[in-house]
C-alpha cells in the first residue's frame, strides 16, 4: 500500500465508525434514518472526497485506483443496513460511451451527487440467464417504444433515472440487446409492487412495469447490440466490490464476536477459553486472511491492466470466495453470541441476513463457478493464478 492508500483506508474506516452507531435505529425503522441525519452523512461523504470515487478526476470524480476503491468499500462493508451505500459509485463504464447529451443530463449530475440511478435488467423469467429477457425495444421514427416487466430494481424508490435492458424487436439488429437511459417519471413506468426482502434497507427492490414507454433515440446507450457488453463490465466491477464489502463484514464480525467471547462467562470461565469457540474464531480469521490476500491482489491486478479475461475470472473467484467466507463467518458469529445473536439489535443477526444476498446478486455462486471453470478450461491454471 502507498501512503495515499493508507490515508484513504484510515479515512474510510473512521467514516464507517461514524455510521455504525446508527445501525440499530435504522434496523428498527425499516432501514430509514431521519432526513437530517442522512443529509449529514451525505455531506460527510462530500467532505471526505468519497463522492463518485470510481469516476475520473477530470469529470469531477475521485479518480481513485481500483485498489483504493476496494479499500473504501471494504470499510463500508463493516456497516449494516446499507448505511454505507451513502458512498455512491455511478456506472463506471458510462463516461466512455455516453453522448454529450447523456453526459450533461445524467452522468455529470450523478458524479456531483445530485442524481441517483438504478438498473432494470432482471425479469421474472430471466435472472442468471440475462439473454432470456423478454423486454422489447421497437424503433418508431425518432423514438424507441419499450415494454417489459423488471424485477428486483434496487433503489428504484431513491433514484431519479434508470437503465433499462431490452431486446430489439425491429430493425437490422432484431434480437440483439440494447440499453436505454431514462428518468423515472417517464410516462408508462409503473411500480407493480415493492416486495419485502430479508434485509432492512431504505433502498427497496421494486417490480416495475414498462408499458409502451416512449424514449427519444438519443436515450439509447452506446449502439444497438451493446447491452450485454455494459452488463458484463458492470458485473466485473461490482463483483470485486462485493468481495470488498464481504471482507469488511467478516472483519467486524470477528472483532465483535471475539470481544463478546472474552467478556461472556459460562461454567465459570470466559467462553473464549473454550476450544469450540476458539476454533470458530480461528477458522474465521484464517479464511478472512485468505480472502483478503486474493482480493487485494485481484484489485491491484486490475490497476496493472492485466488481461481482461483474467480479470473476469479473478473477480469471480474473489466474489465467490469472499461472499461464501463472510456467510460462514456470520453463521459462526451468531453461534458465538448465542441467544443474543438472534436478536435484531445484534450485528451478527443483521449480517447473517444481509450477507446472504452476496451469494445471489451480480451472479450467483453457481454462475461464478461456471465462469471460473470456463476460464480455467480456456486459459489454464498458471494464467489465472500463477
Ligand atoms: C436484493 C436483490 C437485489 C437485486 N437488484 C437487482 C437490480 O438492481 N437490477 C437487476 O436487474 N437485478 C437485480 N437483482 C437480480 C439478481 O441479479 C438475480 O436475482 C440473480 O442474478 C439471480 O437470478 P434469479 O434470481 O432469476 O435466479 P435464477 O437465475 O433463476 O437461478 C435460480 C437458481 O438456479 C441456479 N442456476 C441458474 N443457472 C444455472 C446454471 N447454468 N448452472 C447451475 N445453476 C444455475 C442459480 O445459481 C440459482 O441457485 C437483485 C436480486 C436481489 C435478490
Amino acid at each position: 500500500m502507498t501512503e495515499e492508500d493508507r490515508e484513504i483506508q484510515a479515512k474510510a474506516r473512521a467514516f464507517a465508525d461514524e455510521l455504525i452507531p446508527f445501525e440499530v435505529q435504522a434496523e428498527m425503522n425499516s432501514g430509514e434514518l431521519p432526513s437530517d441525519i442522512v443529509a449529514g452523512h451525505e455531506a460527510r461523504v462530500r467532505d471526505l472526497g468519497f463522492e463518485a470515487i470510481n469516476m475520473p478526476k477530470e469529470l469531477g470524480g475521485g479518480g481513485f485506483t481500483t485498489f483504493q476503491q476496494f479499500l473504501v468499500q471494504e470499510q463500508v462493508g463493516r456497516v449494516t443496513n446499507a448505511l454505507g451505500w451513502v458512498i455512491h459509485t455511478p456506472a463506471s463504464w458510462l463516461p466512455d460511451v455516453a453522448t454529450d447529451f447523456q453526459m450533461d443530463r445524467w452522468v455529470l449530475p450523478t458524479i456531483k451527487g445530485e442524481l441517483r440511478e438504478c438498473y432494470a435488467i432482471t425479469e421474472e423469467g430471466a435472472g442468471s440467464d440475462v439473454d432470456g429477457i423478454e423486454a422489447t425495444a421497437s424503433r418508431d421514427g425518432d423514438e424507441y417504444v419499450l415494454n417489459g416487466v423488471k424485477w428486483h430494481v434496487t433503489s428504484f424508490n431513491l433514484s431519479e433515472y434508470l437503465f433499462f435492458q431490452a431486446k430489439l424487436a425491429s430493425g437490422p439488429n432484431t434480437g440483439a440487446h440494447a440499453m436505454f437511459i431514462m428518468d423515472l417519471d417517464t410516462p408508462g413506468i409503473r411500480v407493480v409492487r415493492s416486495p419485502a426482502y430479508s434485509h432492512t434497507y431504505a433502498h427497496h427492490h421494486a417490480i416495475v412495469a414498462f408499458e409502451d414507454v416512449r424514449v427519444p433515440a438519443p436515450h439509447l446507450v452506446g449502439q444497438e447490440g451493446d447491452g450485454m457488453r455494459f452488463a458484463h463490465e458492470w458485473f466485473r466491477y461490482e463483483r470485486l466490490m462485493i468481495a470488498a464489502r464481504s471482507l469488511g463484514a467478516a472483519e467486524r464480525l470477528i472483532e465483535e464476536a471475539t470481544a463478546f467471547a472474552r467478556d461472556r462467562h459460562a461454567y465459570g470461565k470466559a467462553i473464549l477459553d473454550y476450544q469450540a469457540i476458539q476454533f470458530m474464531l480461528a477458522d474465521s480469521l484464517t479464511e478472512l486472511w485468505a480472502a483478503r490476500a486474493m482480493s487485494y491482489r485481484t484489485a491491484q491486478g486490475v490497476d496493472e491492466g492485466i488481461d481482461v479475461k483474467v480479470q473476469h475470472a479473478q473477480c469471480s473467484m474473489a466474489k465467490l470466495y469472499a461472499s461464501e467466507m463472510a456467510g460462514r463467518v456470520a453463521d459462526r458469529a451468531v453461534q458465538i453470541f448465542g441467544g443474543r445473536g438472534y436478536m435484531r439489535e445484534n450485528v451478527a443477526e443483521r449480517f447473517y441476513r444481509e450477507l446472504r444476498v452476496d451469494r445471489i446478486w451480480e451472479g450467483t455462486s453457481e454462475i461464478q463457478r461456471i465462469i471460473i471453470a470456463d476460464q480455467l478450461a480456456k486459459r489454464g491454471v498458471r494464467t489465472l493464478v500463477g
Side-chain angles (χ1 to χ4, degrees), residues 173-227:
N173 298 306
T174 297
H177 286 247
M179 188 171 272
F180 299 88
I181 186 170
M182 70 206 74
D183 294 319
L184 295 197
D185 58 5
T186 307
I189 300 179
R190 173 176 67 86
V191 174
V192 177
R193 64 190 176 93
S194 194
Y197 285 67
S198 294
H199 52 221
T200 315
Y201 287 6
H203 297 255
H204 300 166
H205 315 279
I207 299 174
V208 183
F210 296 76
E211 293 158 334
D212 289 328
V213 175
R214 287 186 165 269
V215 293
H219 288 224
L220 174 69
V221 182
Q223 305 297 315
E224 290 190 352
D226 275 350

Side-chain angles (χ1 to χ4, degrees), residues 85 117-130 150-156 163 165 197-199 201 203-206 234-235 239 356-368 370:
W85 287 15
E117 80 282 27
C118 56
Y119 297 83
I121 300 171
T122 302
E123 298 176 4
E124 183 174 14
S128 305
D129 181 9
V130 181
K150 297 295 184 177
W151 275 52
H152 310 297
V153 184
T154 297
S155 308
F156 186 89
F163 295 93
Q165 189 152 330
Y197 285 67
S198 294
H199 52 221
Y201 287 6
H203 297 255
H204 300 166
H205 315 279
W234 185 244
F235 281 153
R239 284 169 189 161
R356 191 62 184 84
V357 75
D358 287 330
R359 289 148 65 188
I360 296 171
W361 57 14
E362 309 302 344
T364 63
S365 283
E366 291 72 32
I367 296 303
Q368 306 311 325
I370 289 169

Side-chain angles (χ1 to χ4, degrees), residues 47-121:
D47 290 349
L48 290 164
F50 285 161
E51 190 72 57
I53 56 178
N54 63 335
M55 287 286 158
K57 268 199 170 128
E58 54 274 21
L59 295 180
F64 283 27
T65 65
T66 303
F67 183 52
Q68 290 169 343
Q69 294 171 49
F70 189 98
L71 293 173
V72 172
Q73 293 292 334
E74 183 181 6
Q75 294 308 319
V76 162
R78 294 170 53 241
V79 188
T80 64
N81 299 91
L83 299 184
W85 287 15
V86 67
I87 296 182
H88 170 253
T89 46
S92 44
W93 46 267
L94 196 52
D96 286 343
V97 296
T99 60
D100 289 346
F101 159 69
Q102 292 167 354
M103 286 298 286
D104 290 343
R105 176 137 169 202
W106 291 291
V107 183
L108 295 175
T110 306
I111 293 173
K112 284 188 202 144
E114 294 165 3
L115 297 181
R116 291 283 181 264
E117 80 282 27
C118 56
Y119 297 83
I121 300 171

